Amino acid sequence: MGIHQYFQSLSDLENIYRCPGKFKYQEHSVAEHSYKVTSIAQFFGAVEEDAGNEVNWRALYEKALNHDYSELFIGDIKTPVKYATTELREMLSEVEESMTKNFISREIPATFQPVYRHLLKEGKDSTLEGKILAISDKVDLLYESFGEIQKGNPENIFVEIYSEALATIYEYREMASVKYFLKEILPDMLAEKGIEKTELPQLTTEITTKALREE
């Protein structure tokens, strides 16, 4: 038992690939995803601060960096499946939480177990930092699916993932960082070469229009 096992497990995250079982032009590991989400959260934190909101940077970095560590135990589950029902999502969360707690008790030195119970818990919550994590996670998912669609991937799952990710981001549209994303970043994505020939421009309009009607 020792922190060695935890350090060694970080390399295992490089071998867990997202959206398994589907053809992809570019693979993305959980380790890569965690880095990208942390980088995106860093920018959105800066946007929130610029808008006059106080950001707990330590909490934000801890949440973003560690948010998918529990996938070491159950792997990545495709978003449409993972969120198919509330019951399924809650069951998977319980399994992840239980296996993470067991790992901490078994492998982390007792002195540091309280620290890691805090670091490796679910980071998406009602705090500003938890909300930034939630949208940053979806923005990276949006980019992963966008990249596959842009390259001509015929798998419809990536259109489904794009739709789910954008719809979730739009739920946080009152946040300064999401307003910035929708105004400054999303238009640039849709202006990329070849995207006008895909269904993404119309799909994006439908998602945002539907959300506005539901207000």
Side-chain angles (χ1 to χ4, degrees), residues 130-157:
K131 292 176 181 178
I132 292 174
L133 167 60
I135 62 172
S136 299
D137 190 31
K138 293 302 182 182
V139 166
D140 186 52
L141 188 60
L142 195 75
Y143 269 94
E144 288 182 1
S145 57
F146 176 86
E148 292 300 315
I149 295 167
Q150 187 178 35
K151 293 180 180 70
N153 193 316
E155 295 277 6
N156 190 60
I157 186 70

PDB file of all heavy atoms in Angstrom, residues 130-157:
ATOM      1  N   GLY A 130     -18.046  24.455  -9.365  1.00  0.00           N
ATOM      2  CA  GLY A 130     -18.693  23.233  -9.827  1.00  0.00           C
ATOM      3  C   GLY A 130     -19.421  23.439 -11.144  1.00  0.00           C
ATOM      4  O   GLY A 130     -19.438  22.558 -12.005  1.00  0.00           O
ATOM      5  N   LYS A 131     -20.016  24.618 -11.299  1.00  0.00           N
ATOM      6  CA  LYS A 131     -20.700  24.938 -12.558  1.00  0.00           C
ATOM      7  C   LYS A 131     -19.695  25.134 -13.697  1.00  0.00           C
ATOM      8  O   LYS A 131     -19.941  24.707 -14.831  1.00  0.00           O
ATOM      9  CB  LYS A 131     -21.549  26.192 -12.381  1.00  0.00           C
ATOM     10  CG  LYS A 131     -22.738  26.008 -11.450  1.00  0.00           C
ATOM     11  CD  LYS A 131     -23.485  27.314 -11.248  1.00  0.00           C
ATOM     12  CE  LYS A 131     -24.659  27.148 -10.312  1.00  0.00           C
ATOM     13  NZ  LYS A 131     -25.353  28.437 -10.072  1.00  0.00           N
ATOM     14  N   ILE A 132     -18.568  25.778 -13.390  1.00  0.00           N
ATOM     15  CA  ILE A 132     -17.531  25.950 -14.418  1.00  0.00           C
ATOM     16  C   ILE A 132     -17.014  24.595 -14.868  1.00  0.00           C
ATOM     17  O   ILE A 132     -16.794  24.361 -16.066  1.00  0.00           O
ATOM     18  CB  ILE A 132     -16.374  26.824 -13.887  1.00  0.00           C
ATOM     19  CG1 ILE A 132     -16.839  28.266 -13.667  1.00  0.00           C
ATOM     20  CG2 ILE A 132     -15.186  26.802 -14.862  1.00  0.00           C
ATOM     21  CD1 ILE A 132     -15.804  29.160 -13.009  1.00  0.00           C
ATOM     22  N   LEU A 133     -16.832  23.678 -13.923  1.00  0.00           N
ATOM     23  CA  LEU A 133     -16.417  22.323 -14.279  1.00  0.00           C
ATOM     24  C   LEU A 133     -17.450  21.667 -15.195  1.00  0.00           C
ATOM     25  O   LEU A 133     -17.095  21.056 -16.209  1.00  0.00           O
ATOM     26  CB  LEU A 133     -16.233  21.467 -13.029  1.00  0.00           C
ATOM     27  CG  LEU A 133     -16.095  19.956 -13.263  1.00  0.00           C
ATOM     28  CD1 LEU A 133     -14.889  19.647 -14.144  1.00  0.00           C
ATOM     29  CD2 LEU A 133     -16.002  19.211 -11.937  1.00  0.00           C
ATOM     30  N   ALA A 134     -18.721  21.798 -14.853  1.00  0.00           N
ATOM     31  CA  ALA A 134     -19.780  21.163 -15.639  1.00  0.00           C
ATOM     32  C   ALA A 134     -19.767  21.645 -17.084  1.00  0.00           C
ATOM     33  O   ALA A 134     -19.851  20.842 -18.022  1.00  0.00           O
ATOM     34  CB  ALA A 134     -21.144  21.431 -14.994  1.00  0.00           C
ATOM     35  N   ILE A 135     -19.637  22.953 -17.287  1.00  0.00           N
ATOM     36  CA  ILE A 135     -19.660  23.457 -18.668  1.00  0.00           C
ATOM     37  C   ILE A 135     -18.339  23.162 -19.379  1.00  0.00           C
ATOM     38  O   ILE A 135     -18.333  22.894 -20.588  1.00  0.00           O
ATOM     39  CB  ILE A 135     -19.988  24.966 -18.718  1.00  0.00           C
ATOM     40  CG1 ILE A 135     -18.930  25.797 -18.000  1.00  0.00           C
ATOM     41  CG2 ILE A 135     -21.373  25.224 -18.159  1.00  0.00           C
ATOM     42  CD1 ILE A 135     -19.102  27.298 -18.193  1.00  0.00           C
ATOM     43  N   SER A 136     -17.229  23.176 -18.659  1.00  0.00           N
ATOM     44  CA  SER A 136     -15.935  22.881 -19.277  1.00  0.00           C
ATOM     45  C   SER A 136     -15.894  21.439 -19.765  1.00  0.00           C
ATOM     46  O   SER A 136     -15.363  21.149 -20.846  1.00  0.00           O
ATOM     47  CB  SER A 136     -14.800  23.129 -18.275  1.00  0.00           C
ATOM     48  OG  SER A 136     -14.775  24.475 -17.856  1.00  0.00           O
ATOM     49  N   ASP A 137     -16.453  20.536 -18.981  1.00  0.00           N
ATOM     50  CA  ASP A 137     -16.530  19.122 -19.354  1.00  0.00           C
ATOM     51  C   ASP A 137     -17.327  18.970 -20.647  1.00  0.00           C
ATOM     52  O   ASP A 137     -16.930  18.238 -21.568  1.00  0.00           O
ATOM     53  CB  ASP A 137     -17.191  18.353 -18.213  1.00  0.00           C
ATOM     54  CG  ASP A 137     -17.111  16.851 -18.394  1.00  0.00           C
ATOM     55  OD1 ASP A 137     -16.133  16.369 -19.001  1.00  0.00           O
ATOM     56  OD2 ASP A 137     -18.025  16.159 -17.928  1.00  0.00           O
ATOM     57  N   LYS A 138     -18.448  19.683 -20.734  1.00  0.00           N
ATOM     58  CA  LYS A 138     -19.293  19.592 -21.920  1.00  0.00           C
ATOM     59  C   LYS A 138     -18.664  20.291 -23.129  1.00  0.00           C
ATOM     60  O   LYS A 138     -18.865  19.857 -24.268  1.00  0.00           O
ATOM     61  CB  LYS A 138     -20.676  20.183 -21.632  1.00  0.00           C
ATOM     62  CG  LYS A 138     -21.485  19.372 -20.632  1.00  0.00           C
ATOM     63  CD  LYS A 138     -21.676  17.929 -21.102  1.00  0.00           C
ATOM     64  CE  LYS A 138     -22.518  17.132 -20.122  1.00  0.00           C
ATOM     65  NZ  LYS A 138     -22.678  15.721 -20.540  1.00  0.00           N
ATOM     66  N   VAL A 139     -17.925  21.369 -22.893  1.00  0.00           N
ATOM     67  CA  VAL A 139     -17.269  22.043 -24.013  1.00  0.00           C
ATOM     68  C   VAL A 139     -16.231  21.129 -24.649  1.00  0.00           C
ATOM     69  O   VAL A 139     -16.127  21.034 -25.877  1.00  0.00           O
ATOM     70  CB  VAL A 139     -16.635  23.374 -23.566  1.00  0.00           C
ATOM     71  CG1 VAL A 139     -15.665  23.909 -24.629  1.00  0.00           C
ATOM     72  CG2 VAL A 139     -17.715  24.412 -23.292  1.00  0.00           C
ATOM     73  N   ASP A 140     -15.454  20.421 -23.830  1.00  0.00           N
ATOM     74  CA  ASP A 140     -14.478  19.494 -24.410  1.00  0.00           C
ATOM     75  C   ASP A 140     -15.184  18.363 -25.145  1.00  0.00           C
ATOM     76  O   ASP A 140     -14.742  17.938 -26.218  1.00  0.00           O
ATOM     77  CB  ASP A 140     -13.559  18.917 -23.337  1.00  0.00           C
ATOM     78  CG  ASP A 140     -12.457  18.062 -23.948  1.00  0.00           C
ATOM     79  OD1 ASP A 140     -11.767  18.563 -24.858  1.00  0.00           O
ATOM     80  OD2 ASP A 140     -12.302  16.904 -23.546  1.00  0.00           O
ATOM     81  N   LEU A 141     -16.295  17.874 -24.596  1.00  0.00           N
ATOM     82  CA  LEU A 141     -17.081  16.836 -25.263  1.00  0.00           C
ATOM     83  C   LEU A 141     -17.614  17.369 -26.596  1.00  0.00           C
ATOM     84  O   LEU A 141     -17.628  16.657 -27.609  1.00  0.00           O
ATOM     85  CB  LEU A 141     -18.231  16.408 -24.358  1.00  0.00           C
ATOM     86  CG  LEU A 141     -19.059  15.197 -24.792  1.00  0.00           C
ATOM     87  CD1 LEU A 141     -18.187  13.961 -24.908  1.00  0.00           C
ATOM     88  CD2 LEU A 141     -20.188  14.963 -23.799  1.00  0.00           C
ATOM     89  N   LEU A 142     -18.041  18.625 -26.589  1.00  0.00           N
ATOM     90  CA  LEU A 142     -18.531  19.259 -27.810  1.00  0.00           C
ATOM     91  C   LEU A 142     -17.437  19.280 -28.873  1.00  0.00           C
ATOM     92  O   LEU A 142     -17.677  18.962 -30.043  1.00  0.00           O
ATOM     93  CB  LEU A 142     -18.992  20.683 -27.493  1.00  0.00           C
ATOM     94  CG  LEU A 142     -19.848  21.391 -28.547  1.00  0.00           C
ATOM     95  CD1 LEU A 142     -21.261  20.844 -28.534  1.00  0.00           C
ATOM     96  CD2 LEU A 142     -19.876  22.892 -28.276  1.00  0.00           C
ATOM     97  N   TYR A 143     -16.224  19.647 -28.454  1.00  0.00           N
ATOM     98  CA  TYR A 143     -15.105  19.706 -29.402  1.00  0.00           C
ATOM     99  C   TYR A 143     -14.717  18.324 -29.915  1.00  0.00           C
ATOM    100  O   TYR A 143     -14.351  18.171 -31.085  1.00  0.00           O
ATOM    101  CB  TYR A 143     -13.899  20.401 -28.758  1.00  0.00           C
ATOM    102  CG  TYR A 143     -13.879  21.885 -29.003  1.00  0.00           C
ATOM    103  CD1 TYR A 143     -14.431  22.768 -28.085  1.00  0.00           C
ATOM    104  CD2 TYR A 143     -13.325  22.420 -30.168  1.00  0.00           C
ATOM    105  CE1 TYR A 143     -14.430  24.131 -28.311  1.00  0.00           C
ATOM    106  CE2 TYR A 143     -13.312  23.785 -30.402  1.00  0.00           C
ATOM    107  CZ  TYR A 143     -13.865  24.637 -29.471  1.00  0.00           C
ATOM    108  OH  TYR A 143     -13.868  25.997 -29.713  1.00  0.00           O
ATOM    109  N   GLU A 144     -14.771  17.322 -29.062  1.00  0.00           N
ATOM    110  CA  GLU A 144     -14.438  15.968 -29.509  1.00  0.00           C
ATOM    111  C   GLU A 144     -15.421  15.502 -30.585  1.00  0.00           C
ATOM    112  O   GLU A 144     -15.011  14.951 -31.618  1.00  0.00           O
ATOM    113  CB  GLU A 144     -14.451  15.006 -28.324  1.00  0.00           C
ATOM    114  CG  GLU A 144     -13.271  15.192 -27.371  1.00  0.00           C
ATOM    115  CD  GLU A 144     -13.271  14.186 -26.231  1.00  0.00           C
ATOM    116  OE1 GLU A 144     -14.181  13.324 -26.192  1.00  0.00           O
ATOM    117  OE2 GLU A 144     -12.381  14.266 -25.369  1.00  0.00           O
ATOM    118  N   SER A 145     -16.721  15.711 -30.345  1.00  0.00           N
ATOM    119  CA  SER A 145     -17.727  15.293 -31.326  1.00  0.00           C
ATOM    120  C   SER A 145     -17.657  16.177 -32.568  1.00  0.00           C
ATOM    121  O   SER A 145     -17.788  15.678 -33.700  1.00  0.00           O
ATOM    122  CB  SER A 145     -19.126  15.348 -30.708  1.00  0.00           C
ATOM    123  OG  SER A 145     -19.425  16.644 -30.219  1.00  0.00           O
ATOM    124  N   PHE A 146     -17.418  17.464 -32.365  1.00  0.00           N
ATOM    125  CA  PHE A 146     -17.293  18.401 -33.489  1.00  0.00           C
ATOM    126  C   PHE A 146     -16.159  17.980 -34.420  1.00  0.00           C
ATOM    127  O   PHE A 146     -16.298  17.979 -35.643  1.00  0.00           O
ATOM    128  CB  PHE A 146     -17.024  19.808 -32.943  1.00  0.00           C
ATOM    129  CG  PHE A 146     -16.789  20.856 -34.002  1.00  0.00           C
ATOM    130  CD1 PHE A 146     -17.850  21.523 -34.588  1.00  0.00           C
ATOM    131  CD2 PHE A 146     -15.497  21.184 -34.394  1.00  0.00           C
ATOM    132  CE1 PHE A 146     -17.635  22.494 -35.559  1.00  0.00           C
ATOM    133  CE2 PHE A 146     -15.273  22.148 -35.377  1.00  0.00           C
ATOM    134  CZ  PHE A 146     -16.349  22.806 -35.957  1.00  0.00           C
ATOM    135  N   GLY A 147     -15.044  17.580 -33.841  1.00  0.00           N
ATOM    136  CA  GLY A 147     -13.892  17.164 -34.638  1.00  0.00           C
ATOM    137  C   GLY A 147     -14.197  15.950 -35.498  1.00  0.00           C
ATOM    138  O   GLY A 147     -13.763  15.873 -36.653  1.00  0.00           O
ATOM    139  N   GLU A 148     -14.945  15.001 -34.936  1.00  0.00           N
ATOM    140  CA  GLU A 148     -15.303  13.801 -35.702  1.00  0.00           C
ATOM    141  C   GLU A 148     -16.277  14.144 -36.831  1.00  0.00           C
ATOM    142  O   GLU A 148     -16.150  13.638 -37.954  1.00  0.00           O
ATOM    143  CB  GLU A 148     -15.912  12.751 -34.774  1.00  0.00           C
ATOM    144  CG  GLU A 148     -14.928  12.152 -33.780  1.00  0.00           C
ATOM    145  CD  GLU A 148     -13.761  11.461 -34.454  1.00  0.00           C
ATOM    146  OE1 GLU A 148     -13.989  10.702 -35.419  1.00  0.00           O
ATOM    147  OE2 GLU A 148     -12.616  11.683 -34.022  1.00  0.00           O
ATOM    148  N   ILE A 149     -17.246  14.998 -36.540  1.00  0.00           N
ATOM    149  CA  ILE A 149     -18.220  15.400 -37.565  1.00  0.00           C
ATOM    150  C   ILE A 149     -17.523  16.174 -38.676  1.00  0.00           C
ATOM    151  O   ILE A 149     -17.789  15.968 -39.863  1.00  0.00           O
ATOM    152  CB  ILE A 149     -19.340  16.247 -36.919  1.00  0.00           C
ATOM    153  CG1 ILE A 149     -20.140  15.382 -35.940  1.00  0.00           C
ATOM    154  CG2 ILE A 149     -20.253  16.838 -37.995  1.00  0.00           C
ATOM    155  CD1 ILE A 149     -21.054  16.168 -35.031  1.00  0.00           C
ATOM    156  N   GLN A 150     -16.594  17.050 -38.296  1.00  0.00           N
ATOM    157  CA  GLN A 150     -15.860  17.860 -39.280  1.00  0.00           C
ATOM    158  C   GLN A 150     -15.037  16.973 -40.214  1.00  0.00           C
ATOM    159  O   GLN A 150     -14.891  17.273 -41.403  1.00  0.00           O
ATOM    160  CB  GLN A 150     -14.957  18.851 -38.560  1.00  0.00           C
ATOM    161  CG  GLN A 150     -14.279  19.863 -39.476  1.00  0.00           C
ATOM    162  CD  GLN A 150     -13.431  20.854 -38.701  1.00  0.00           C
ATOM    163  OE1 GLN A 150     -12.810  20.501 -37.689  1.00  0.00           O
ATOM    164  NE2 GLN A 150     -13.397  22.093 -39.162  1.00  0.00           N
ATOM    165  N   LYS A 151     -14.537  15.872 -39.683  1.00  0.00           N
ATOM    166  CA  LYS A 151     -13.721  14.953 -40.497  1.00  0.00           C
ATOM    167  C   LYS A 151     -14.575  14.001 -41.327  1.00  0.00           C
ATOM    168  O   LYS A 151     -14.049  13.204 -42.100  1.00  0.00           O
ATOM    169  CB  LYS A 151     -12.783  14.157 -39.579  1.00  0.00           C
ATOM    170  CG  LYS A 151     -11.719  14.989 -38.891  1.00  0.00           C
ATOM    171  CD  LYS A 151     -10.850  14.114 -38.000  1.00  0.00           C
ATOM    172  CE  LYS A 151      -9.756  14.911 -37.293  1.00  0.00           C
ATOM    173  NZ  LYS A 151     -10.317  15.805 -36.241  1.00  0.00           N
ATOM    174  N   GLY A 152     -15.894  14.068 -41.148  1.00  0.00           N
ATOM    175  CA  GLY A 152     -16.777  13.227 -41.949  1.00  0.00           C
ATOM    176  C   GLY A 152     -17.104  11.887 -41.335  1.00  0.00           C
ATOM    177  O   GLY A 152     -17.510  10.956 -42.035  1.00  0.00           O
ATOM    178  N   ASN A 153     -16.939  11.751 -40.023  1.00  0.00           N
ATOM    179  CA  ASN A 153     -17.265  10.485 -39.365  1.00  0.00           C
ATOM    180  C   ASN A 153     -18.755  10.186 -39.544  1.00  0.00           C
ATOM    181  O   ASN A 153     -19.606  11.002 -39.194  1.00  0.00           O
ATOM    182  CB  ASN A 153     -16.929  10.567 -37.870  1.00  0.00           C
ATOM    183  CG  ASN A 153     -16.947   9.210 -37.200  1.00  0.00           C
ATOM    184  OD1 ASN A 153     -17.835   8.409 -37.420  1.00  0.00           O
ATOM    185  ND2 ASN A 153     -15.956   8.958 -36.355  1.00  0.00           N
ATOM    186  N   PRO A 154     -19.101   9.013 -40.090  1.00  0.00           N
ATOM    187  CA  PRO A 154     -20.507   8.697 -40.359  1.00  0.00           C
ATOM    188  C   PRO A 154     -21.297   8.235 -39.135  1.00  0.00           C
ATOM    189  O   PRO A 154     -22.517   8.076 -39.208  1.00  0.00           O
ATOM    190  CB  PRO A 154     -20.401   7.560 -41.380  1.00  0.00           C
ATOM    191  CG  PRO A 154     -19.126   6.861 -41.017  1.00  0.00           C
ATOM    192  CD  PRO A 154     -18.187   7.967 -40.582  1.00  0.00           C
ATOM    193  N   GLU A 155     -20.616   8.005 -38.012  1.00  0.00           N
ATOM    194  CA  GLU A 155     -21.297   7.519 -36.813  1.00  0.00           C
ATOM    195  C   GLU A 155     -22.248   8.592 -36.279  1.00  0.00           C
ATOM    196  O   GLU A 155     -21.823   9.686 -35.896  1.00  0.00           O
ATOM    197  CB  GLU A 155     -20.277   7.148 -35.733  1.00  0.00           C
ATOM    198  CG  GLU A 155     -19.381   5.979 -36.095  1.00  0.00           C
ATOM    199  CD  GLU A 155     -20.041   4.638 -35.807  1.00  0.00           C
ATOM    200  OE1 GLU A 155     -21.236   4.609 -35.439  1.00  0.00           O
ATOM    201  OE2 GLU A 155     -19.348   3.614 -35.960  1.00  0.00           O
ATOM    202  N   ASN A 156     -23.535   8.285 -36.194  1.00  0.00           N
ATOM    203  CA  ASN A 156     -24.524   9.261 -35.729  1.00  0.00           C
ATOM    204  C   ASN A 156     -24.355   9.597 -34.255  1.00  0.00           C
ATOM    205  O   ASN A 156     -24.846  10.635 -33.786  1.00  0.00           O
ATOM    206  CB  ASN A 156     -25.941   8.728 -35.971  1.00  0.00           C
ATOM    207  CG  ASN A 156     -26.994   9.804 -35.739  1.00  0.00           C
ATOM    208  OD1 ASN A 156     -26.990  10.837 -36.407  1.00  0.00           O
ATOM    209  ND2 ASN A 156     -27.885   9.583 -34.793  1.00  0.00           N
ATOM    210  N   ILE A 157     -23.648   8.741 -33.522  1.00  0.00           N
ATOM    211  CA  ILE A 157     -23.461   8.979 -32.089  1.00  0.00           C
ATOM    212  C   ILE A 157     -22.824  10.330 -31.819  1.00  0.00           C
ATOM    213  O   ILE A 157     -23.111  10.982 -30.807  1.00  0.00           O
ATOM    214  CB  ILE A 157     -22.604   7.845 -31.456  1.00  0.00           C
ATOM    215  CG1 ILE A 157     -22.528   7.988 -29.934  1.00  0.00           C
ATOM    216  CG2 ILE A 157     -21.189   7.838 -32.041  1.00  0.00           C
ATOM    217  CD1 ILE A 157     -23.807   7.706 -29.225  1.00  0.00           C
TER     218      ILE A 157
END
